[in-house]
PDB file of all heavy atoms in Angstrom:
ATOM      1  N   LEU A 387      95.412  95.048  88.364  1.00  0.00           N
ATOM      2  CA  LEU A 387      94.682  96.048  89.128  1.00  0.00           C
ATOM      3  C   LEU A 387      94.413  95.552  90.546  1.00  0.00           C
ATOM      4  O   LEU A 387      94.547  96.311  91.518  1.00  0.00           O
ATOM      5  CB  LEU A 387      93.363  96.388  88.427  1.00  0.00           C
ATOM      6  CG  LEU A 387      92.476  97.434  89.120  1.00  0.00           C
ATOM      7  CD1 LEU A 387      93.241  98.743  89.327  1.00  0.00           C
ATOM      8  CD2 LEU A 387      91.205  97.675  88.314  1.00  0.00           C
ATOM      9  N   GLY A 388      94.061  94.281  90.680  1.00  0.00           N
ATOM     10  CA  GLY A 388      93.861  93.710  92.006  1.00  0.00           C
ATOM     11  C   GLY A 388      95.127  93.761  92.839  1.00  0.00           C
ATOM     12  O   GLY A 388      95.095  94.058  94.041  1.00  0.00           O
ATOM     13  N   TRP A 389      96.252  93.486  92.200  1.00  0.00           N
ATOM     14  CA  TRP A 389      97.542  93.540  92.905  1.00  0.00           C
ATOM     15  C   TRP A 389      97.848  94.951  93.382  1.00  0.00           C
ATOM     16  O   TRP A 389      98.298  95.163  94.510  1.00  0.00           O
ATOM     17  CB  TRP A 389      98.649  93.049  91.962  1.00  0.00           C
ATOM     18  CG  TRP A 389     100.025  93.253  92.520  1.00  0.00           C
ATOM     19  CD1 TRP A 389     100.686  92.462  93.404  1.00  0.00           C
ATOM     20  CD2 TRP A 389     100.898  94.351  92.238  1.00  0.00           C
ATOM     21  NE1 TRP A 389     101.921  92.993  93.689  1.00  0.00           N
ATOM     22  CE2 TRP A 389     102.064  94.150  92.987  1.00  0.00           C
ATOM     23  CE3 TRP A 389     100.783  95.477  91.419  1.00  0.00           C
ATOM     24  CZ2 TRP A 389     103.131  95.047  92.947  1.00  0.00           C
ATOM     25  CZ3 TRP A 389     101.842  96.367  91.377  1.00  0.00           C
ATOM     26  CH2 TRP A 389     103.001  96.150  92.130  1.00  0.00           C
ATOM     27  N   VAL A 390      97.610  95.940  92.528  1.00  0.00           N
ATOM     28  CA  VAL A 390      97.855  97.340  92.897  1.00  0.00           C
ATOM     29  C   VAL A 390      96.992  97.734  94.093  1.00  0.00           C
ATOM     30  O   VAL A 390      97.468  98.363  95.048  1.00  0.00           O
ATOM     31  CB  VAL A 390      97.582  98.274  91.694  1.00  0.00           C
ATOM     32  CG1 VAL A 390      97.588  99.738  92.140  1.00  0.00           C
ATOM     33  CG2 VAL A 390      98.609  98.063  90.599  1.00  0.00           C
ATOM     34  N   VAL A 391      95.720  97.357  94.058  1.00  0.00           N
ATOM     35  CA  VAL A 391      94.820  97.678  95.156  1.00  0.00           C
ATOM     36  C   VAL A 391      95.276  96.997  96.442  1.00  0.00           C
ATOM     37  O   VAL A 391      95.255  97.593  97.526  1.00  0.00           O
ATOM     38  CB  VAL A 391      93.375  97.271  94.802  1.00  0.00           C
ATOM     39  CG1 VAL A 391      92.460  97.389  96.018  1.00  0.00           C
ATOM     40  CG2 VAL A 391      92.848  98.134  93.656  1.00  0.00           C
ATOM     41  N   ALA A 392      95.694  95.739  96.342  1.00  0.00           N
ATOM     42  CA  ALA A 392      96.180  95.024  97.528  1.00  0.00           C
ATOM     43  C   ALA A 392      97.442  95.671  98.083  1.00  0.00           C
ATOM     44  O   ALA A 392      97.571  95.889  99.292  1.00  0.00           O
ATOM     45  CB  ALA A 392      96.443  93.561  97.187  1.00  0.00           C
ATOM     46  N   ARG A 393      98.357  96.004  97.188  1.00  0.00           N
ATOM     47  CA  ARG A 393      99.660  96.537  97.608  1.00  0.00           C
ATOM     48  C   ARG A 393      99.546  97.908  98.264  1.00  0.00           C
ATOM     49  O   ARG A 393     100.194  98.185  99.274  1.00  0.00           O
ATOM     50  CB  ARG A 393     100.593  96.608  96.377  1.00  0.00           C
ATOM     51  CG  ARG A 393     101.932  97.310  96.621  1.00  0.00           C
ATOM     52  CD  ARG A 393     102.809  96.512  97.556  1.00  0.00           C
ATOM     53  NE  ARG A 393     104.096  97.143  97.729  1.00  0.00           N
ATOM     54  CZ  ARG A 393     104.367  98.108  98.593  1.00  0.00           C
ATOM     55  NH1 ARG A 393     103.386  98.566  99.368  1.00  0.00           N
ATOM     56  NH2 ARG A 393     105.576  98.615  98.697  1.00  0.00           N
ATOM     57  N   PHE A 394      98.711  98.774  97.700  1.00  0.00           N
ATOM     58  CA  PHE A 394      98.693 100.157  98.146  1.00  0.00           C
ATOM     59  C   PHE A 394      97.459 100.543  98.965  1.00  0.00           C
ATOM     60  O   PHE A 394      97.431 101.633  99.522  1.00  0.00           O
ATOM     61  CB  PHE A 394      98.831 101.101  96.943  1.00  0.00           C
ATOM     62  CG  PHE A 394     100.122 100.946  96.209  1.00  0.00           C
ATOM     63  CD1 PHE A 394     100.170 100.281  94.992  1.00  0.00           C
ATOM     64  CD2 PHE A 394     101.307 101.436  96.740  1.00  0.00           C
ATOM     65  CE1 PHE A 394     101.377 100.119  94.316  1.00  0.00           C
ATOM     66  CE2 PHE A 394     102.509 101.280  96.078  1.00  0.00           C
ATOM     67  CZ  PHE A 394     102.554 100.618  94.856  1.00  0.00           C
ATOM     68  N   LEU A 395      96.461  99.675  99.040  1.00  0.00           N
ATOM     69  CA  LEU A 395      95.271 100.015  99.812  1.00  0.00           C
ATOM     70  C   LEU A 395      94.932  98.957 100.850  1.00  0.00           C
ATOM     71  O   LEU A 395      95.003  99.219 102.052  1.00  0.00           O
ATOM     72  CB  LEU A 395      94.076 100.222  98.865  1.00  0.00           C
ATOM     73  CG  LEU A 395      92.713 100.443  99.549  1.00  0.00           C
ATOM     74  CD1 LEU A 395      92.746 101.689 100.430  1.00  0.00           C
ATOM     75  CD2 LEU A 395      91.605 100.537  98.502  1.00  0.00           C
ATOM     76  N   SER A 396      94.562  97.779 100.422  1.00  0.00           N
ATOM     77  CA  SER A 396      93.975  96.829 101.375  1.00  0.00           C
ATOM     78  C   SER A 396      94.979  96.314 102.407  1.00  0.00           C
ATOM     79  O   SER A 396      94.648  96.205 103.593  1.00  0.00           O
ATOM     80  CB  SER A 396      93.313  95.661 100.633  1.00  0.00           C
ATOM     81  OG  SER A 396      94.230  94.961  99.846  1.00  0.00           O
ATOM     82  N   ILE A 397      96.213  96.020 101.992  1.00  0.00           N
ATOM     83  CA  ILE A 397      97.192  95.491 102.947  1.00  0.00           C
ATOM     84  C   ILE A 397      97.573  96.528 103.996  1.00  0.00           C
ATOM     85  O   ILE A 397      97.472  96.262 105.202  1.00  0.00           O
ATOM     86  CB  ILE A 397      98.441  94.950 102.212  1.00  0.00           C
ATOM     87  CG1 ILE A 397      98.079  93.680 101.454  1.00  0.00           C
ATOM     88  CG2 ILE A 397      99.575  94.677 103.203  1.00  0.00           C
ATOM     89  CD1 ILE A 397      99.215  93.128 100.617  1.00  0.00           C
ATOM     90  N   PRO A 398      98.023  97.729 103.598  1.00  0.00           N
ATOM     91  CA  PRO A 398      98.363  98.709 104.646  1.00  0.00           C
ATOM     92  C   PRO A 398      97.167  99.142 105.482  1.00  0.00           C
ATOM     93  O   PRO A 398      97.296  99.321 106.702  1.00  0.00           O
ATOM     94  CB  PRO A 398      98.958  99.892 103.852  1.00  0.00           C
ATOM     95  CG  PRO A 398      98.498  99.705 102.439  1.00  0.00           C
ATOM     96  CD  PRO A 398      98.353  98.235 102.249  1.00  0.00           C
ATOM     97  N   SER A 399      95.996  99.284 104.857  1.00  0.00           N
ATOM     98  CA  SER A 399      94.805  99.693 105.610  1.00  0.00           C
ATOM     99  C   SER A 399      94.403  98.631 106.623  1.00  0.00           C
ATOM    100  O   SER A 399      94.024  98.950 107.757  1.00  0.00           O
ATOM    101  CB  SER A 399      93.647  99.960 104.642  1.00  0.00           C
ATOM    102  OG  SER A 399      93.949 101.007 103.762  1.00  0.00           O
ATOM    103  N   GLU A 400      94.483  97.374 106.201  1.00  0.00           N
ATOM    104  CA  GLU A 400      94.116  96.288 107.110  1.00  0.00           C
ATOM    105  C   GLU A 400      95.032  96.266 108.329  1.00  0.00           C
ATOM    106  O   GLU A 400      94.585  96.076 109.468  1.00  0.00           O
ATOM    107  CB  GLU A 400      94.174  94.953 106.378  1.00  0.00           C
ATOM    108  CG  GLU A 400      93.723  93.771 107.211  1.00  0.00           C
ATOM    109  CD  GLU A 400      93.762  92.464 106.444  1.00  0.00           C
ATOM    110  OE1 GLU A 400      94.115  92.481 105.245  1.00  0.00           O
ATOM    111  OE2 GLU A 400      93.435  91.434 107.046  1.00  0.00           O
ATOM    112  N   ARG A 401      96.318  96.467 108.101  1.00  0.00           N
ATOM    113  CA  ARG A 401      97.269  96.477 109.218  1.00  0.00           C
ATOM    114  C   ARG A 401      96.937  97.587 110.204  1.00  0.00           C
ATOM    115  O   ARG A 401      96.910  97.387 111.425  1.00  0.00           O
ATOM    116  CB  ARG A 401      98.687  96.659 108.685  1.00  0.00           C
ATOM    117  CG  ARG A 401      99.273  95.423 108.026  1.00  0.00           C
ATOM    118  CD  ARG A 401     100.594  95.760 107.371  1.00  0.00           C
ATOM    119  NE  ARG A 401     101.255  94.571 106.840  1.00  0.00           N
ATOM    120  CZ  ARG A 401     102.264  94.614 105.989  1.00  0.00           C
ATOM    121  NH1 ARG A 401     102.736  95.789 105.565  1.00  0.00           N
ATOM    122  NH2 ARG A 401     102.826  93.500 105.546  1.00  0.00           N
TER     123      ARG A 401
END
Side-chain angles (χ1 to χ4, degrees):
L387 180 57
W389 172 82
V390 170
V391 171
R393 173 68 177 85
F394 298 104
L395 174 60
S396 60
I397 290 176
S399 298
E400 184 179 358
R401 285 172 174 165

